[in-house]
């Protein structure tokens, strides 16, 4: 499905694909088994410049267009969702927000170092008691007499939380609800900022996921994103439009990997005297997955296309994220099924696909939230 790719976009996909097959795929299963952070992939992302691919060229990034970014994320998602999550949070949620909302000083302070990967970003929105409804979040940022802010609160399930150099923290500066929340660019070496890595996850085991505890973290007024209070939820939800596009791409990649793995296995494995791919019900697993991969990809590329043309892509991003995440779980499950008992042991990648896919219907807006967003857009009636 090369329908809308320019020669440059083809080249991006080829370069990322080859690098992923070379560097990301080989250690992925071992990293998963050992909960080992994919350091060689991070080093390679820095060397290749992929880590800054969508950051504007004026700040040292690759200046990639939205579809090239989607291709990067799709290929990373195909190789290892752990590596993808590192990149999509860093670029899609954090550097994208700085570029969209930041002052010139904030862009100059953070984007060049994010473009090289010297500084990684994390996105601190979710709290133990506030996930689907971030407008009620409780972390506080109390303005002091000297103009600084004192931040207190807990954030949870934060990708890159213990390796990031800058955290985009949403905290309450004013009254209740969305209008009372502001966004801050907090250097993670600020005293009082603590990250605790979360272990025992079902999937994404080698990715850095942390709980952040902020105790009297004092930051200057220059850390307020865009220099304006009260925009935090809008900043977060706008970032999540890009996050949902990223997840559409990542899940397309993971489903593609499940499909490729399924085809390779079922054409080799024989039962009843022929490859199991020769049995009709196995072909059904393959065919259903192949159609879903195409659907997920087309929905996601449409988001990138809308973004490129400067149109509103929030609704399209919700649709892509909803469909692709659910499809990736089905694809991975089909891959396990096609492998029989071998799908259930971690010498084969099928089980990892399923565990890594499973979180994608949960974070950056559950499938239920995406359906309510889509339903609201169609009916004009909010269920929230
Ligand atoms: P509401 O509170 O009424 O609106 C607040 C402001 O935001 C604006 N807005 C949007 N702007 C851009 N894009 C969108 N998609 C937007 N949706 C809303 C809105 O216009 C308003 O702006 P303003 O200027 O008028 O103040 O919010 P709502 O009623 O529209 O939305 C409710 C709801 C439930 C849809 C929203 O809260 C939502 O999407 N909830 C799910 C949040 C979510 O995805 N949470 C999980 C985060 S994932 C995570 O934390 C892990 S992230 C990455 C990682 O580390 O791996």
């Amino acid at each position: 499905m090369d329908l809308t790719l320019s020669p440059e976009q083809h080249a991006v996909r080829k370069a990322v694909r080859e690098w992923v097959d070379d560097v990301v795929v080989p250690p992925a299963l071992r990293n998963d088994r050992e909960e080992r952070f994919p350091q060689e992939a991070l080093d390679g992302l820095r060397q290749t410049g992929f880590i800054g691919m969508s950051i504007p060229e004026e700040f040292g990034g690759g200046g990639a267009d939205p579809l090239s970014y989607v291709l990067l994320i799709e290929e990373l998602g195909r190789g290892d969702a752990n590596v993808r999550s590192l990149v999509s949070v860093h670029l899609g949620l954090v550097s994208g927000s700085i570029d969209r909302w930041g002052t010139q000083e904030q862009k100059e302070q953070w984007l060049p170092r994010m473009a090289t990967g010297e500084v990684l970003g994390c996105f601190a929105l979710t709290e133990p008691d506030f996930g689907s409804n971030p407008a009620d979040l409780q972390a506080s940022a109390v303005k002091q007499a000297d103009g600084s802010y004192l931040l207190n609160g807990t954030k949870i399930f934060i990708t890159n939380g213990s390796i990031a150099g800058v955290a985009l923290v949403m905290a309450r500066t004013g009254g209740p609800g969305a209008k009372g929340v502001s966004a801050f660019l907090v250097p993670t070496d600020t005293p009082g900022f603590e990250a605790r890595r979360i272990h025992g996850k079902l999937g994404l085991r080698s990715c850095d996921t942390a709980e952040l505890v902020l105790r009297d973290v004092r930051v200057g007024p220059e850390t307020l994103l865009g220099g304006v209070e009260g925009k935090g939820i809008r900043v977060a939800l706008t970032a999540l439009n890009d996050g949902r596009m990223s997840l559409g791409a990542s899940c397309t990649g993971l489903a593609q990997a499940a499909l490729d793995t399924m085809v390779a296995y079922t054409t080799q494995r024989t039962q009843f005297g022929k490859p199991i791919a020769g049995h009709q019900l196995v072909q059904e697993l393959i065919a259903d997955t192949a159609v879903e991969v195409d659907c997920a990809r087309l929905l996601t590329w449409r988001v990138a296309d809308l973004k490129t043309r400067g149109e509103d892509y929030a609704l399209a991003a919700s649709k892509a994220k909803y469909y692709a995440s659910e499809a990736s779980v089905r694809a991975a499950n089909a891959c396990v099924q096609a492998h029989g008992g071998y799908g259930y042991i971690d010498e084969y990648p099928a089980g990892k696909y399923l565990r890594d896919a499973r979180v994608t219907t949960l974070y950056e807006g559950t499938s239920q939230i995406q359906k309510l967003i889509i339903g609201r857009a169609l009916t004009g009636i909010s269920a929230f």
Side-chain angles (χ1 to χ4, degrees), residues 8-24:
E8 293 75 20
Q9 288 161 343
H10 270 293
V12 165
R13 184 167 68 174
K14 182 170 182 290
V16 179
R17 184 172 286 174
E18 287 173 1
W19 178 78
V20 163
D21 286 337
D22 232 29
V23 176
V24 176

Side-chain angles (χ1 to χ4, degrees), residues 85 89 93 122-126 131-135 156-160 178-179 230-231 233-235 237-241 244 312 314-315 318 362-366 369-370 373 376 382 384:
S85 60
V89 169
L93 295 179
C122 70
F123 181 77
L125 174 67
T126 298
S132 292
N133 182 18
I156 198 157
F157 306 135
I158 309 302
T159 301
N160 297 344
K179 300 279 186 232
K231 293 277 181 215
I233 291 298
R234 195 161 165 68
V235 166
L237 293 179
T238 308
L240 284 168
N241 295 334
R244 290 164 187 169
D312 189 346
L315 178 61
S318 279
L362 307 175
Y363 67 5
E364 304 204 19
T366 61
I369 287 290
Q370 306 309 335
I373 291 172
R376 178 173 69 177
S382 176
F384 302 118

